[in-house]
Amino acid sequence: MKGATCYKNDLENLRATELTLRPPGIDVEEVIRSASIATKCKKRALSEKKETDENEQATEPVAKAQIVGWPPIRAYRMNSFRSRKSLVVDDNNGGIYVKVSMDGVPYLRKIDLKIYEGYEELWRALEDMFKCSSLVPVNYDEPKYAITYEDKDGDWMLVGDVPWEMFISSCKRMRIMKGCEARGQSSSA
Amino acid sequence: MMTYFPEEVVEHIFGFLTAHCDRNAASLVVQGVVPPAARLRRNCYAVRPERVAARFPAVRSLTVKGKPHFADFNLVPPDWGGLAAPWIEAFASSPTAAAAGGRGGRAGGGGGGAPLEELRMKRMVVSDECLETLARSFPNFRALVLISCEGFSTHGLAAVATHCRHLREIDLQENEIEDRGPQWLSCFPESCTSLMSLNFACLKGEINVAALERLVSRCPNLRSLRLNRAVSVEALSRILMKAPQLVDLGTGSFWVDHRSEAFHRLISAIERCKSLRSLSGFWDASPLCLPAIYPICSNLTGLNLSYAPAIQGSDLIKLIRHCWKLQRLWVLDCIGDKGLAIVASTCKELQELRVFPSDIYGAGSATVTEEGLVAVSFGCPKLHSLLYFCHQMTNAALITVANNCPNFTRFRLCILEPKKADPLTNQPLDEGFGAIVRSSKGLRRLSLSGLLTDQVFMYIGMYAKKLEMLSIAFAGDSDKGMLYVLNGCKNLRKLEIRDCPFGDGALLENVAKYETMRSLWMSSCDVTLGGCRALAAKMPMLNVEVINERTKAKSRGSPSDFHKVEKCVYRTIAGRGTTPRFVWIL
């Protein structure tokens, strides 16, 4: 009987012939995972030394959140936490996945905007992803590339103009344009 | 409570009273137990507003506090009370108040009308109607300070702006204000030029920026301005150009592209503010914008970054290195122990430190531990006020802190996990807190956390002789704990307890103590209804309230005396007019 093993083989074959434009050997999920680990490592740097504590802490937060009035933080401050988190629109199992295209590169990538804390991290992740060293904007330099995104209204905007949370809640897709094209199109200094 | 006042205070009071009969009344007051007639502080249920207004008609400054402190943490049901209206109406309509206002009118002020000039309210329910009453009834009104209040909207602010001709101060701190449009700022008349302090940081909605700019332009005495999140950096730059004399600034949305012209305009505007000593706000701030404030950092004595979670670790450190004159610092725990070490080495003038948690629900983000606090204690000898949220604390660290800093007046430590022991020794934190109370003889306010036995209360009762306010949660083993405190802390005024094994025995053993205190709060302890009844019977002048939310839906019936009471609270003196269904006055 063919059954399960055959199905599994078929699945693998299917994956192998899947039409994607990524170069062979690059695992998108791996990139995302390592980017995510990188950010989490940065955040954990200070508590890394006490490993047992970390394990304990991982199970604590759920319990904490259920005690009324604990921790003793004014409702006003707690609400400002929540409003921050709720600005982020949850999609696809909690992530905000958007396609990223880059001029001159034949394949698109997909990134989860939710794993980044801000623009700097995003720019570095994109540099990493597209193996390009000049995406991070530097004062006064003419950028080689301009990172743009399509917002909810369908307009193409320059990434970096609005607060981060506003950006990730309105970004539908991104495009990394060659600088010369971007300069030709942009009208403001 | 007997309080005595130095000569100059007495003279100050008499300066406000012109009529002969008023002075007679005043002399009775001064010999007695009540604070000066001109300035009054009251708990809103300690005494009836009409009585106060009748007794002290010439009151110029009134401070009223409503809900118990634990209301800040949602432990008090929303309709509990704390209404501002009776107070405002009492002072607005008291005939003696009106008469006193007529005689004692200041130059430039209106003749007639009640003389109230300043109103400070904390944890009260304020309505638009009573703000309107206030605005229309007090012609000399100058200062409105509302902290942690709710129940009003921007319409109420509009009324105050419209009718109060001599307004100097509107200070709104962490209130829940309903947004009903931005027009309130336009309500300040052109003739309003006296504003010195305007804080609307807690407003959620949009504001009329043009109206704000005009207002700022015509108020040359404006010293303190705190904007809300809706105010952009561009608007901030324009405002600062018009008000370079500012001493205290709360930025709005401190977000700008650091490559843009707007960023450079911001830098120029901030550079001109040579008098700036205190900064807050920084909503949405990204680290790339921080260099804009570097030019004035060395002048800063106060800095509040506790609403800027995107500024972390190394960026915070870079900023702090510029701020060597800081006396007051509020940050999030993403500063980390490393960041606190930099604070310790840079901020030698530091007196007050608050470290708030940045992510209560998550795990793994950089936080602070006992190491950060120890570092600060070594580096900042003037530290006397602390609020510190952390994931862990050790006895050794607390003992070190106690040795380094013997001048604490306020020490509030919150270990986020209830009942957490010392991770090094697995012991309770009794010894650590004991060291703090033993060494800081001037300690007035203390909040405990972590694993604690009755022993810590023994130390507190023994050593914390100046202690006025104590907050306890998830601590202690038996009634003995609470009794150590009641018997030992001579100056105790406010005691708030949640989730501790203290019961009727502790509640009833030293009832005379409550007469010297302002209030007691106990929730989720072992006190029963019978215990509360017994207390009310023994001490009829105490206002003992039981809050039992669970029985809200049921009609009267009387639960047995052994029914464990959810919450009980008492205050001294006169009770209140109306009570919600879930509150029983015993």
Side-chain angles (χ1 to χ4, degrees), chain B residues 237-438:
Chain B
S237 300
R238 291 196 299 272
I239 289 166
L240 289 179
M241 294 300 275
K242 298 187 163 85
Q245 76 283 2
L246 282 179
V247 172
D248 167 57
L249 173 68
T251 74
S253 166
F254 199 74
W255 199 96
V256 65
D257 184 342
H258 65 286
R259 298 161 294 176
S260 66
E261 266 304 304
F263 183 65
H264 298 296
R265 276 196 291 274
L266 177 66
I267 297 180
S268 317
I270 291 182
E271 266 175 341
R272 294 179 71 227
C273 298
K274 308 280 186 211
S275 306
L276 261 189
R277 295 290 173 267
S278 156
L279 281 181
S280 59
F282 297 102
W283 306 101
D284 307 312
S286 111
L288 298 168
C289 306
L290 286 184
I293 64 168
Y294 287 172
I296 46 107
C297 277
S298 55
N299 295 332
L300 290 182
T301 56
L303 182 60
N304 180 353
L305 292 164
S306 63
Y307 287 99
I311 303 178
Q312 305 201 4
S314 57
D315 300 299
L316 258 180
I317 288 173
K318 258 192 276 179
L319 175 63
I320 301 269
R321 285 197 200 276
H322 288 81
C323 304
W324 53 276
K325 278 200 194 140
L326 271 189
Q327 294 172 15
R328 187 175 47 84
L329 176 63
W330 293 23
V331 284
L332 292 170
D333 60 2
C334 40
I335 191 173
D337 288 332
K338 281 213 187 89
L340 286 177
I342 301 298
V343 170
S345 60
T346 312
C347 308
K348 295 306 183 185
E349 302 297 313
L350 196 68
Q351 298 177 23
E352 176 183 329
L353 175 67
R354 296 195 190 191
V355 180
F356 294 95
S358 54
D359 191 3
I360 308 159
Y361 305 112
S365 34
T367 58
V368 295
T369 68
E370 72 277 9
E371 292 186 14
L373 183 58
V374 167
V376 172
S377 75
F378 274 114
C380 307
K382 298 188 182 176
L383 190 68
H384 66 79
S385 174
L386 181 75
L387 172 62
Y388 197 78
F389 285 85
C390 58
H391 283 280
Q392 63 178 54
M393 185 55 59
T394 65
N395 281 310
L398 283 174
I399 292 168
T400 306
V401 170
N403 288 336
N404 291 341
C405 296
N407 298 316
F408 279 114
T409 54
R410 291 184 192 82
F411 190 90
R412 294 191 281 166
L413 180 67
C414 179
I415 302 165
L416 288 166
E417 183 193 343
K419 297 197 191 172
K420 183 156 185 171
D422 176 337
L424 291 181
T425 62
N426 264 322
Q427 294 298 303
L429 291 173
D430 301 333
E431 297 307 311
F433 280 104
I436 296 284
V437 295
R438 201 161 36 234

Side-chain angles (χ1 to χ4, degrees), chain A:
Chain A
M1 208 158 64
K2 274 187 153 199
T5 20
C6 222
Y7 176 71
K8 191 166 165 242
N9 286 337
D10 284 347
L11 212 55
E12 281 171 357
N13 288 336
L14 186 64
R15 234 180 244 132
T17 57
E18 198 179 350
L19 262 184
T20 69
L21 297 177
R22 65 172 179 266
I26 291 184
D27 184 345
V28 176
E29 272 70 41
E30 179 53 51
V31 174
I32 293 174
R33 234 178 291 125
S34 54
S36 147
I37 288 171
T39 47
K40 291 207 166 87
C41 274
K42 212 166 57 159
K43 286 191 272 183
R44 276 208 182 122
L46 289 176
S47 49
E48 193 67 20
K49 42 197 167 165
K50 300 215 160 83
E51 280 178 8
T52 45
D53 263 287
E54 266 205 336
N55 292 333
E56 282 158 14
Q57 277 175 37
T59 52
E60 283 159 16
V62 174
K64 265 184 240 162
Q66 288 165 359
I67 302 177
V68 173
W70 192 265
I73 296 175
R74 257 191 197 158
Y76 176 80
R77 189 176 282 277
M78 292 285 255
N79 290 340
S80 78
F81 273 130
R82 290 197 199 102
S83 68
R84 217 183 295 136
K85 287 198 183 312
S86 68
L87 273 178
V88 173
V89 175
D90 267 31
D91 222 5
N92 302 327
N93 309 317
I96 305 178
Y97 286 89
V98 298
K99 288 185 192 164
V100 186
S101 66
M102 179 163 176
D103 289 358
V105 177
Y107 51 87
L108 274 69
R109 305 299 297 268
K110 225 170 191 187
I111 58 172
D112 176 5
L113 291 178
K114 240 192 131 189
I115 65 172
Y116 307 112
E117 294 269 319
Y119 288 116
E120 277 226 63
E121 278 185 34
L122 171 66
W123 284 317
R124 291 193 207 286
L126 291 176
E127 277 184 352
D128 226 7
M129 192 178 271
F130 289 99
K131 305 291 176 249
C132 167
S133 60
S134 54
L135 288 181
V136 179
V138 178
N139 278 335
Y140 305 119
D141 275 3
E142 290 287 8
K144 284 217 197 86
Y145 293 95
I147 311 182
T148 61
Y149 69 103
E150 184 184 358
D151 73 0
K152 285 199 163 108
D153 300 325
D155 296 319
W156 283 92
M157 319 281 293
L158 189 68
V159 166
D161 280 341
V162 300
W164 175 253
E165 257 111 21
M166 199 187 292
F167 163 67
I168 59 179
S169 64
S170 58
C171 172
K172 279 168 46 191
R173 55 192 300 164
M174 294 173 62
R175 174 183 165 201
I176 305 175
M177 299 170 78
K178 284 223 172 67
C180 47
E181 252 194 77
R183 279 191 290 280
Q185 289 176 359
S186 73
S187 53
S188 58

Side-chain angles (χ1 to χ4, degrees), chain B residues 34-228:
Chain B
V34 189
R39 284 188 105 80
L40 278 187
R41 290 184 46 164
R42 280 287 179 273
N43 173 274
C44 74
Y45 293 122
V47 61
R48 289 200 181 285
E50 308 80 38
R51 275 199 62 201
V52 180
R55 191 96 184 269
F56 305 106
V59 160
R60 299 219 189 264
S61 165
L62 181 67
T63 302
V64 190
K65 294 187 182 177
K67 301 185 200 179
H69 175 230
F70 276 0
D72 280 349
F73 320 128
N74 297 325
L75 287 177
V76 176
D79 327 322
W80 178 84
L83 300 173
W87 285 90
I88 294 177
E89 278 153 26
F91 278 89
S93 59
S94 154
T96 34
R103 278 194 300 272
R106 288 173 174 226
L116 191 69
E117 291 178 12
E118 295 177 4
L119 182 62
R120 287 180 174 74
M121 297 202 149
K122 190 169 186 180
R123 286 186 217 107
M124 302 277 291
V125 177
V126 181
S127 66
D128 285 345
E129 289 72 31
C130 68
L131 285 177
E132 175 109 18
T133 306
L134 178 153
R136 291 185 188 278
S137 312
F138 305 122
N140 292 335
F141 196 74
R142 280 155 213 274
L144 179 66
V145 179
L146 299 175
I147 305 172
S148 276
C149 297
E150 55 179 346
F152 61 107
S153 77
T154 46
H155 282 187
L157 298 179
V160 173
T162 306
H163 300 294
C164 299
R165 303 271 140 178
H166 308 284
L167 214 46
R168 285 216 195 117
E169 179 180 356
I170 294 189
D171 185 2
L172 306 169
Q173 296 178 32
E174 303 196 336
N175 303 289
E176 281 298 322
I177 306 177
E178 190 194 338
D179 173 41
R180 291 170 79 181
Q183 53 274 28
W184 65 278
L185 264 174
S186 320
C187 292
F188 285 98
E190 286 303 311
S191 54
C192 172
T193 57
S194 49
L195 263 189
M196 293 176 66
S197 168
L198 178 61
N199 172 6
F200 59 91
C202 62
L203 274 186
K204 287 177 273 212
E206 296 296 318
I207 57 140
N208 184 335
V209 173
L212 176 62
E213 288 180 50
R214 286 195 301 274
L215 180 63
V216 167
S217 301
R218 62 179 187 271
C219 293
N221 295 322
L222 194 66
R223 291 279 170 274
S224 167
L225 179 64
R226 297 192 183 187
L227 310 169
N228 74 343

